[in-house]
Amino acid sequence: MPLLSGLEINAMFNVNDIRKDFPILSRKVNGKPLVYLDNAATSQTPQQVIDVIVDYYSNYNANIHRGVHTLSQEATDLYEQARLKVQAHFNAKFSHEIILTSGTTDSINLVANGFSALLKKGDEIIVSALEHHSNIVPWQMLCDRTGAILKVIPMNEAGELVMDIYDSLLSEKTKLVFTNHISNALGTINPIEYIIEKAHGVGAAVLIDGAQSCPHIKPDVQALDVDFYVASAHKMCGPTGVGMLYGKEEWLKKLPPYQGGGEMIAEVSFEKTTYADLPHKFEAGTPNIAGGIVFGAAIDYMNAIGFDAIAAYENELLDYATKQLLEIEGLKIYGTSKNKTSVISFNLEGVHPYDVGTILDKLGVAVRTGHHCAQPIMEFYKIPGTIRASFAFYNTKEEVDVLVASVKKAKMMLS
Amino acid sequence: MIVSIEDIQNEIIDEFSMFEDWEERYQYMIDLGKDLPLIDDQYKTDSNIIKGCQSKVWVHAEMKDDQIEFTADSDAIITKGIIAILIRTFSNQHPKDIINADTGFIDEIGLKEHLSATRANGLVSMIKQLKLYAVAYQTQLK
Ligand SMILES: Cc1ncc(COP(=O)(O)O)c(C=O)c1O
């Protein structure tokens, strides 16, 4: 089918060639060439992936899993192929362990909702201090519903989780441990192998939020022995509104369905409904069909470039940018762990991050400012927020230079 | 004699029309921020913070001879400039005139981007809050 064979990618890592894949990178913002450094919020989409969206709607669009007609069967096949791509990418044992959702937030809520049925008063849930709001609120709601208690693994000044305290929080009351693989606000890579092993030691399940890791590394859920792993397509060169949940078969069988609706039932009568098997039990209603298929294409695109090449190049960018930025007097970087990805959260002394972000935007540089949906981290550092520059494999050292020059200019204008 | 809100806005439009590029505009706004009539510390409370801004903005309103006097502060300097511009047009005016005032001049002085949903959340909330004060004082006048 043209939909899939249309994906042609350059095998050698050459950033100038790669940039040609991304039409948006050649646009101007406020009269200046766009320097897109907000990749941790959402990544850009290569033409090969955009083509799949167009191809899907031009040639295959139909509802899936229910039609006998050819279009519906083709669309169903494509959607199920996408699930297989996600399975292969994350190295899940079974394809029915992959639930396609609307994104990380949706995946987390699915699990949190399911645990309502499994927790009782006094059970404990451990979350990390580095969490995104989407990973805090569902657990607070779960605790409200069940009477379970939320415990927090604190962080240190470098933005790393304190493992000694984690050890001391674990007990036979611990039923669930949740942490992100990589912090969106600081870029810290958390020691999830250790966290998972220790949690399993007390019989607790572990959910890892991979929203920020999947753009940079390729997680192997079997090697990690993780119980649940979640991610969003839009941070991996894919479309918004689609994401994944990996759950070990035994866990997904234990959890009750999340939403009721079409696709998730086996038989319905007014007396009793039996639910469909995995994965459909968790996929009520018409899913984001195009989104799922395009997610598969985005995974293909990133794998064709290669995660080793991506990580090596991004680390080079990170080192280069860190060094250049630190030369600016009064600039402080938050999140200084040796284990981090290409995210730099920083502030200029005596200057509000919002002011800097506003000036940078005028200069064509897109960064995020604010608390990055992680207010507890900002409270820890006693700051209103940070300026966050996050780099992807299609960014260049020249763009880092523009960032640095722009920060200097902002500093001059603002102080 | 009160200078009308419209006249003040025209004055501001004139001032901004002298600038050639965004840089001069922003530099001027930053300077205006430095001259903002500052809120008295006792009013710099959480309940006087305007919600919906990325930076903190405090506003206080007082009635003097049937006119409202605004003072404010912010922890971000560009925000201070924006609120200074608003306050310059709204301060020492009758509540009724504030309620009816048009704020389209923001667009004309090249600060339209602050009216966008993300940014101007800030600006839009500020305008709303200033007008709310005016509504509150207007009811007192009756
Ligand atoms: C660590 C982390 N978790 C969760 C999310 C939420 O992802 P989504 O909005 O795609 O559901 C994000 C997105 O910013 C994130 O960075």
Side-chain angles (χ1 to χ4, degrees):
Chain A
M1 281 184 219
L3 188 80
L4 302 161
S5 61
L7 206 72
E8 270 173 40
I9 295 147
N10 229 310
M12 286 293 289
F13 192 93
N14 175 326
V15 72
N16 292 319
D17 285 345
I18 287 172
R19 287 178 70 81
K20 290 187 198 129
D21 291 343
F22 293 82
I24 207 169
L25 297 180
S26 52
R27 80 159 269 192
K28 289 200 156 124
V29 166
N30 292 319
K32 305 275 189 327
L34 168 67
V35 175
Y36 186 75
L37 302 179
D38 195 17
N39 296 288
T42 207
S43 53
Q44 295 303 345
T45 318
Q47 190 62 52
Q48 292 91 329
V49 174
I50 297 171
D51 287 346
V52 175
I53 304 174
V54 176
D55 197 12
Y56 171 75
Y57 281 110
S58 309
N59 296 302
Y60 302 97
N61 186 33
N63 211 328
I64 56 171
H65 297 140
R66 41 184 99 165
V68 289
H69 59 83
T70 305
L71 269 193
S72 171
Q73 282 172 18
E74 285 180 0
T76 304
D77 286 348
L78 289 170
Y79 192 71
E80 290 306 321
Q81 275 170 31
R83 192 191 309 278
L84 295 177
K85 287 180 188 184
V86 177
Q87 179 203 352
H89 182 74
F90 289 91
N91 193 30
K93 195 162 169 192
F94 306 113
S95 66
H96 60 251
E97 291 177 322
I98 301 296
I99 313 296
L100 293 168
T101 65
S102 75
T104 302
T105 304
D106 190 31
S107 302
I108 291 171
N109 277 283
L110 188 160
V111 177
N113 187 73
F115 267 86
S116 299
L118 306 181
L119 294 187
K120 56 181 192 310
K121 199 165 181 282
D123 284 344
E124 292 177 359
I125 300 173
I126 298 179
V127 299
S128 93
L130 290 173
E131 288 323 302
H132 189 276
H133 292 167
S134 71
N135 211 0
I136 300 173
V137 182
W139 311 122
Q140 286 173 332
M141 289 164 64
L142 174 59
C143 288
D144 285 347
R145 286 194 297 269
T146 59
I149 298 159
L150 201 64
K151 302 251 163 154
V152 181
I153 315 169
M155 61 186 263
N156 64 20
E157 194 61 33
E160 297 161 332
L161 296 176
V162 185
M163 284 299 105
D164 295 354
I165 301 188
Y166 170 58
D167 290 346
S168 70
L169 292 176
L170 286 166
S171 74
E172 69 281 6
K173 286 196 202 133
T174 313
K175 294 293 177 279
L176 274 171
V177 177
F178 299 96
T179 175
N180 50 43
H181 193 164
I182 292 176
S183 153
N184 65 305
L186 305 176
T188 317
I189 304 175
N190 292 314
I192 61 165
E193 295 81 359
Y194 181 88
I195 290 172
I196 293 165
E197 194 189 322
K198 285 285 178 165
H200 286 169
V202 297
V206 180
L207 181 146
I208 300 292
D209 171 357
Q212 292 296 336
S213 48
C214 291
H216 310 287
I217 50 188
K218 188 170 172 167
D220 179 332
V221 292
Q222 289 189 75
L224 286 167
D225 194 25
V226 66
D227 304 289
F228 302 97
Y229 199 98
V230 298
S232 294
H234 70 93
K235 299 194 201 260
M236 307 170 63
C237 300
T240 54
V242 62
M244 55 79 66
L245 159 67
Y246 159 79
K248 274 187 193 159
E249 183 186 52
E250 51 178 294
W251 275 112
L252 291 180
K253 281 191 168 156
K254 255 185 251 176
L255 297 188
Y258 178 35
Q259 288 173 332
E263 305 259 2
M264 55 78 71
I265 63 261
E267 279 178 62
V268 178
S269 72
F270 282 104
E271 289 72 44
K272 183 170 167 54
T273 292
T274 49
Y275 301 122
D277 288 336
L278 291 172
H280 306 293
K281 169 181 155 187
F282 292 109
E283 294 182 353
T286 301
N288 184 349
I289 303 168
I293 293 168
V294 180
F295 184 15
I299 287 177
D300 284 346
Y301 179 84
M302 292 198 73
N303 277 309
I305 290 178
F307 279 84
D308 288 342
I310 289 175
Y313 179 71
E314 287 174 345
N315 279 336
E316 205 178 304
L317 279 182
L318 174 68
D319 288 347
Y320 181 72
T322 304
K323 204 160 141 267
Q324 303 280 315
L325 283 171
L326 283 176
E327 275 172 22
I328 300 173
E329 209 187 300
L331 186 143
K332 180 170 172 169
I333 291 180
Y334 298 89
T336 48
S337 174
K338 279 199 273 321
N339 273 322
K340 65 179 277 192
T341 45
S342 49
V343 169
I344 303 182
S345 237
F346 66 95
N347 271 332
L348 288 171
E349 195 183 349
V351 182
H352 198 282
Y354 172 79
D355 287 331
V356 181
T358 303
I359 304 288
L360 291 188
D361 175 56
K362 285 283 170 195
L363 295 164
V365 180
V367 292
R368 176 97 184 260
T369 65
H371 53 59
H372 317 299
C373 300
Q375 274 168 323
I377 300 179
M378 302 304 138
E379 267 160 43
F380 175 89
Y381 289 119
K382 304 216 166 10
I383 49 176
T386 67
I387 303 138
R388 182 188 68 186
S390 49
F391 308 92
F393 58 91
Y394 44 72
N395 289 124
T396 63
K397 286 191 180 163
E398 290 74 36
E399 289 181 309
V400 172
D401 293 340
V402 175
L403 167 72
V404 172
S406 305
V407 171
K408 283 183 184 159
K409 176 155 194 138
K411 186 181 164 190
M412 203 184 66
M413 287 183 73
L414 294 164
S415 45
Chain B
M1 241 277 294
I2 303 179
V3 185
S4 77
I5 292 182
E6 207 183 326
D7 285 347
I8 301 174
Q9 290 182 348
N10 284 331
E11 211 175 278
I12 296 173
I13 292 170
D14 276 351
E15 288 166 19
F16 273 83
S17 70
M18 295 183 311
F19 303 128
E20 307 241 307
D21 58 15
W22 72 269
E23 217 175 305
E24 289 179 344
R25 270 202 311 274
Y26 271 70
Q27 203 64 63
Y28 185 58
M29 213 160 51
I30 290 166
D31 291 341
L32 290 178
K34 290 176 183 156
D35 296 335
L36 174 71
L38 276 189
I39 189 169
D40 198 288
D41 268 347
Q42 62 171 315
Y43 301 122
K44 224 168 147 174
T45 56
D46 281 356
S47 58
N48 280 335
I49 289 181
I50 299 180
K51 298 263 182 334
C53 304
Q54 258 200 37
S55 46
K56 278 188 180 157
V57 183
W58 298 267
V59 172
H60 173 68
E62 235 169 272
M63 192 73 147
K64 283 185 183 153
D65 305 328
D66 289 359
Q67 294 165 23
I68 302 182
E69 192 180 279
F70 289 106
T71 50
D73 200 359
S74 171
D75 54 354
I77 187 72
I78 293 175
T79 314
K80 257 171 110 158
I82 292 170
I83 189 96
I85 292 169
L86 281 183
I87 283 187
R88 185 164 142 206
T89 66
F90 284 173
S91 220
N92 304 311
Q93 300 286 347
H94 287 299
K96 187 164 57 59
D97 296 332
I98 297 172
I99 294 166
N100 294 327
D102 182 77
T103 45
F105 79 108
I106 300 283
D107 195 351
E108 280 182 60
I109 58 176
L111 298 180
K112 188 180 174 185
E113 66 260 32
H114 293 275
L115 289 169
S116 84
T118 40
R119 228 94 46 148
N121 242 317
L123 180 53
V124 172
S125 323
M126 281 185 222
I127 294 172
K128 206 164 116 195
Q129 188 59 38
L130 298 185
K131 288 198 172 208
L132 272 177
Y133 274 120
V135 170
Y137 279 120
Q138 174 72 6
T139 38
Q140 270 182 25
L141 281 179
K142 280 177 188 160

